[in-house]
Amino acid sequence: MTQHVTAALPADAPADDSARREWWRDAVIYQVYPRSFADGNGDGMGDLPGITARLPHLKRLGVDAVWFSPFYASPQADAGYDVADYRAVDPMFGTLSDAAELVRQAHVLDLRVIVDVVPNHCSDQHEWFREALRAGPGSPPRERFHFRSGKGESGQLPPNDWESVFGGPAWTRVEDGEWYLHLFAPEQPDFNWDHPAVHEEFRSILRFWLDLGVDGFRIDVAHGLVKAAGLPDIGHEEQVKLLGKQAVPYFDQDGVHEIYRSWRRILREYPGERIAVAEAWTPTVERSARYLRPDELHQAFNFEYLTTGWDAAGLRDVIDRSLTAMNAVEAPATWVLSNHDVVRHATRFADGDAARGLRRAKAATLLMLALPGSAYIYQGEELGLPEVTELPDEVRQDPAFFRGTGQDGKRDGCRVPMPWSGQRAPFGFGPVEGGPSWLPQPAGWKGLTAEAQDGDPASTLELYRGALAVRRAHPALGAGRAVEWLDSPEGVLAFRRTSPRGTFVCTVNLSAVPITVSTPGAVLLSSADVTPRAAGTKLPADSTVWWAA
């Protein structure tokens, strides 16, 4: 049997349902990192016209929606997450008219559009912050940020011991002697969400983009807006190791929830089920679920799932806890393997062996897409792209790379531009063969281009296309609240999902050796070659099979 063979689906499998209600409960959402997706003008930087021209790739892939990382006006100190103007497109990406055309063309293809909103901080070039610097200590413009006097005899020490996620103190001193808070780069001052003007500004920003036609928002650092009263010291020497694991006074404070209740009311003003998705690093999935109560947000990224290794017991545990936590608030679970901030999972699962990493990545994808709820795909994972680990220091742009502590500063490795076609870099990323690319692509990527994989039944691209087609068509896949775990050998996960119109079984061999498992039905899809037999089917190591039971 060849890889990825698809058996017949139930005869009453539904047709395209892009207009279904509560579409977000089982949506597959594709993340586009704009500077690295497609370059329309040949300057080496991805842009909105380039993205628009490549939307048919996403339609054919079979996703429901596209999430765009920031393309707003920005000095690019942190790849656009330092926003200078929330209502303008940075010239490097195009114009506001280009953004409107992108949304229009996506909707023509029945693709919904989700854009980033960055409410925890702005750029130090934002007019509000520049005004605050001009106005001086004690002035009303400074109240929209966290300005404080320093400690020590002359105020020469930071106001507290908080550290930046990117490393170093979370405070920078200005010429008049005061300090301002920035949980990320110094070029990213934190807003003070105790100030009513900040609330009103972001309600206006949401309406601006909703009026332009976007279908929702991904909320950057959704857990960070509210800080504990008095900005207390933490007293821990390695704060970065606490993030997402333990409570800290600048993340996941209860006050954020009233903000999101007000945002949900805005979303309800607009037709078409507009949604909001939280990037919320919390200590537990139960804390993440608090963001998804019926009057708050719609989804939250499941970082616990993303950070779980290739381990049967660990994955089963996080799947069970995720479904339990989300069911308690009537929200869908979400599943994600890669994004623009983490090492690509084809490398993360490799344990030093690239071939093993790709096998596991394919198997992990089929596991993820078989689970109840919504799934996220990061650009390039459908091509099986590995992390680019060998980048010269002089081309790196991750701000954490230059600060020495905090995050490892290697996020550029997952942001290398997409390879579309051709035999040499930039592999169709731009319109000119051999043209520029803001980060260099490995020469070996010529075999990973979308063009090279198109139509190859053994390719990662065709596996994704097949999986998304089956997921959309099979009545037991997509939205749901539970999986029924089946008896299986050690190192194997097996579960059943049922609906009145069909039954589905997923079997995953996470071990390093082939294992014989029961044969519950016909093969719908597999990440590796399998030959089903009534007496039992031998599952290769690091493989997943979907069955029509």
Side-chain angles (χ1 to χ4, degrees):
M1 175 179 291
T2 42
Q3 183 183 352
H4 327 157
V5 169
T6 305
L9 292 167
D12 58 349
D16 178 73
D17 55 352
S18 59
R20 65 193 185 278
R21 286 190 56 77
E22 296 194 329
W23 62 272
W24 41 275
R25 288 192 174 273
D26 65 349
V28 177
I29 301 174
Y30 185 101
Q31 180 188 358
V32 164
Y33 193 67
R35 61 170 53 203
S36 297
F37 192 67
D39 171 16
N41 62 12
D43 66 356
M45 186 67 65
D47 49 44
L48 300 186
I51 295 169
T52 302
R54 293 291 186 180
L55 287 177
H57 169 80
L58 304 183
K59 176 64 175 178
R60 186 178 176 193
L61 188 62
V63 300
D64 301 290
V66 190
W67 151 39
F68 297 96
S69 293
F71 48 72
Y72 309 114
S74 167
Q76 303 295 320
D78 183 23
Y81 283 94
D82 51 318
V83 181
D85 187 342
Y86 290 85
R87 298 175 181 83
V89 172
D90 195 282
M92 70 188 292
F93 297 123
T95 65
L96 192 58
S97 295
D98 292 328
E101 179 64 9
L102 174 59
V103 173
R104 190 186 74 82
Q105 291 291 346
H107 287 165
V108 167
L109 295 172
D110 291 324
L111 296 170
R112 289 180 167 87
V113 173
I114 296 170
V115 297
D116 247 297
V117 64
V118 188
N120 178 71
H121 50 262
C122 63
S123 165
D124 61 357
Q125 299 304 303
H126 190 285
E127 181 52 38
W128 275 16
F129 191 73
R130 295 168 69 183
E131 182 184 3
L133 292 180
R134 292 193 300 266
S139 63
R142 291 208 173 181
E143 294 174 1
R144 296 180 293 201
F145 301 91
H146 294 278
F147 278 89
R148 297 288 187 276
S149 298
K151 293 181 178 179
E153 292 184 5
S154 58
Q156 76 278 15
L157 300 176
N160 67 21
D161 66 356
W162 294 2
E163 294 178 357
S164 163
V165 174
F166 289 163
W171 297 88
T172 289
R173 198 177 194 186
V174 300
E175 290 184 359
D176 57 42
E178 283 200 324
W179 298 74
Y180 68 88
L181 177 67
H182 53 86
L183 292 180
F184 294 87
E187 297 87 354
Q188 295 169 291
D190 278 43
F191 285 113
N192 175 15
W193 275 86
D194 290 332
H195 198 294
V198 177
H199 289 256
E200 183 55 40
E201 173 67 0
F202 275 91
R203 287 193 289 264
S204 174
I205 290 166
L206 296 182
R207 288 192 172 97
F208 177 88
W209 290 101
L210 289 166
D211 289 341
L212 189 127
V214 305
D215 300 285
F217 302 93
R218 177 265 193 185
I219 305 168
D220 184 62
V221 195
H223 54 301
L225 278 56
V226 173
K227 280 68 175 175
L231 309 185
D233 284 341
I234 294 177
H236 194 285
E237 294 181 357
E238 296 181 300
Q239 291 178 26
V240 172
K241 293 184 177 180
L242 302 181
L243 302 184
K245 300 179 179 68
Q246 297 183 31
V248 291
Y250 48 78
F251 281 162
D252 194 31
Q253 299 296 301
D254 288 341
V256 299
H257 298 291
E258 187 52 46
I259 296 170
Y260 298 134
R261 292 186 183 100
S262 72
W263 288 19
R264 181 67 172 254
R265 291 192 290 270
I266 292 173
L267 293 169
R268 287 173 177 155
E269 296 172 6
Y270 289 80
E273 295 188 301
R274 317 292 177 96
I275 72 165
V277 182
E279 183 210 24
W281 288 88
T282 66
T284 65
V285 291
E286 291 76 17
R287 289 293 300 185
S288 294
R290 291 169 57 84
Y291 291 75
L292 307 180
R293 289 172 287 195
D295 60 344
E296 294 190 45
L297 305 177
H298 298 79
Q299 293 184 350
F301 290 112
N302 191 338
F303 292 117
E304 246 193 289
Y305 183 77
L306 184 152
T307 55
T308 299
W310 189 244
D311 173 76
L315 284 167
R316 177 167 175 168
D317 175 67
V318 74
I319 289 167
D320 282 341
R321 288 189 296 106
S322 298
L323 290 170
T324 298
M326 298 306 143
N327 287 339
V329 292
E330 300 181 357
T334 65
W335 315 102
V336 60
L337 292 168
S338 286
N339 64 34
H340 65 290
D341 281 333
V342 301
V343 173
R344 287 185 177 274
H345 61 278
T347 297
R348 204 169 65 243
F349 292 152
D351 292 335
D353 183 331
R356 175 170 48 203
L358 183 57
R359 288 197 307 271
R360 289 179 172 178
K362 289 180 175 182
T365 295
L366 291 192
L367 168 60
M368 175 182 76
L369 294 175
L371 295 169
S374 179
Y376 282 79
I377 295 172
Y378 178 51
Q379 66 176 46
E381 70 173 78
E382 79 275 21
L383 304 179
L385 296 187
E387 187 83 358
V388 179
T389 56
E390 300 298 325
L391 284 172
D393 290 355
E394 59 269 20
V395 305
R396 291 187 178 275
Q397 297 191 26
D398 183 353
F401 178 74
F402 303 99
R403 291 176 68 82
T405 56
Q407 292 183 346
D408 63 13
K410 302 291 180 139
R411 294 179 300 169
D412 292 313
C414 65
R415 301 174 178 182
V416 173
M418 285 274 286
W420 292 100
S421 60
Q423 298 296 304
R424 65 188 183 107
F427 300 117
F429 171 63
V432 180
E433 183 178 0
S437 171
W438 77 278
L439 285 174
Q441 300 152 307
W445 276 16
K446 66 182 180 181
L448 297 178
T449 67
E451 179 184 63
Q453 297 192 45
D454 185 32
D456 177 359
S459 71
T460 307
L461 177 59
E462 292 298 342
L463 176 66
Y464 270 72
R465 288 173 175 167
L468 292 177
V470 173
R471 190 180 193 274
R472 180 179 290 271
H474 198 290
L477 287 173
R481 298 174 61 88
V483 298
E484 177 190 355
W485 293 107
L486 305 176
D487 290 339
S488 59
E490 185 177 355
V492 173
L493 293 179
F495 59 86
R496 179 187 293 122
R497 297 187 60 191
T498 59
S499 82
R501 295 184 289 113
T503 301
F504 167 93
V505 170
C506 178
T507 311
V508 190
N509 180 4
L510 293 104
S511 77
V513 297
I515 295 179
T516 298
V517 299
S518 62
T519 303
V523 173
L524 280 170
L525 205 62
S526 63
S527 68
D529 289 345
V530 294
T531 302
R533 302 183 188 281
T537 299
K538 182 177 290 188
L539 238 63
D542 303 320
S543 67
T544 299
V545 178
W546 287 2
W547 311 87

